[in-house]
C-alpha cells in the first residue's frame, strides 16, 4: 500500500495562487500514476490532473488546463499541484491519489490509495 499526505491548502482571493504537495511513502513503485482530485460540498469527486512517475506525462481536466500544473520530484517521492488564477469554483477539498496500475487515469476507480485531503478555499 501507498501512504499519501497532502499539504499546502489554504484560503486565497480569486486570482491568487496556491501550491499543493503530496508526500508519498510505502510501495510507491506499485503504480506509475499519481493524481489530484477535488470534491466540493454536495458534489462528486472530480478529476483534476495526473502525472506518471516514469516519464512525467501529464493529463489535465479541461476546467483547470492552462491554470494548474502538476509536477513530481521522484527523489523526494512528492507530487505537486501549482494552482494559478484561482476561481471561487476551485473551492474544494483536494485529494492526492496513487493509481492502482501504471496508466494515467481520470476516474476515481483507477486509483487505489488516497490521502486525507487538504482544503482549498477561494474567496470572490
Amino acid at each position: 500500500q501507498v501512504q499519501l499526505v497532502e499539504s499546502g491548502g489554504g484560503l486565497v482571493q480569486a486570482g491568487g495562487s496556491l501550491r499543493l504537495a503530496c508526500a508519498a511513502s510505502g510501495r510507491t513503485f506499485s503504480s506509475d500514476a499519481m493524481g489530484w482530485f477535488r470534491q466540493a460540498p454536495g458534489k462528486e469527486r472530480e478529476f483534476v490532473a495526473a502525472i506518471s512517475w516514469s516519464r512525467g506525462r501529464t493529463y489535465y481536466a479541461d476546467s483547470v488546463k492552462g491554470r494548474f500544473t502538476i509536477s513530481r520530484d521522484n527523489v523526494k517521492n512528492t507530487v505537486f499541484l501549482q494552482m494559478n488564477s484561482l476561481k471561487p469554483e476551485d473551492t474544494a477539498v483536494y485529494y492526492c491519489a496513487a493509481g492502482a496500475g501504471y496508466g494515467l487515469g481520470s476516474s476515481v476507480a483507477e486509483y487505489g490509495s488516497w490521502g486525507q485531503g487538504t482544503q482549498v478555499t477561494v474567496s470572490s
Side-chain angles (χ1 to χ4, degrees), residues 4-7 93-96 114-119:
L4 305 171
V5 180
E6 303 97 333
S7 62
V93 175
Y94 282 69
Y95 297 91
C96 178
W114 297 82
Q116 292 299 305
T118 184
Q119 178 71 48

Side-chain angles (χ1 to χ4, degrees), residues 48-81:
V48 175
I51 190 168
S52 65
W53 286 114
S54 58
R55 296 179 61 84
R57 297 187 301 274
T58 58
Y59 178 37
Y60 296 94
D62 288 341
S63 60
V64 306
K65 196 172 298 181
R67 298 188 299 122
F68 292 10
T69 302
I70 188 170
S71 61
R72 91 287 200 220
D73 184 330
N74 294 65
V75 175
K76 296 182 181 296
N77 291 321
T78 302
V79 175
F80 304 94
L81 184 68

Side-chain angles (χ1 to χ4, degrees), residues 86-97:
L86 284 163
K87 306 174 181 179
E89 50 262 47
D90 294 318
T91 295
V93 175
Y94 282 69
Y95 297 91
C96 178

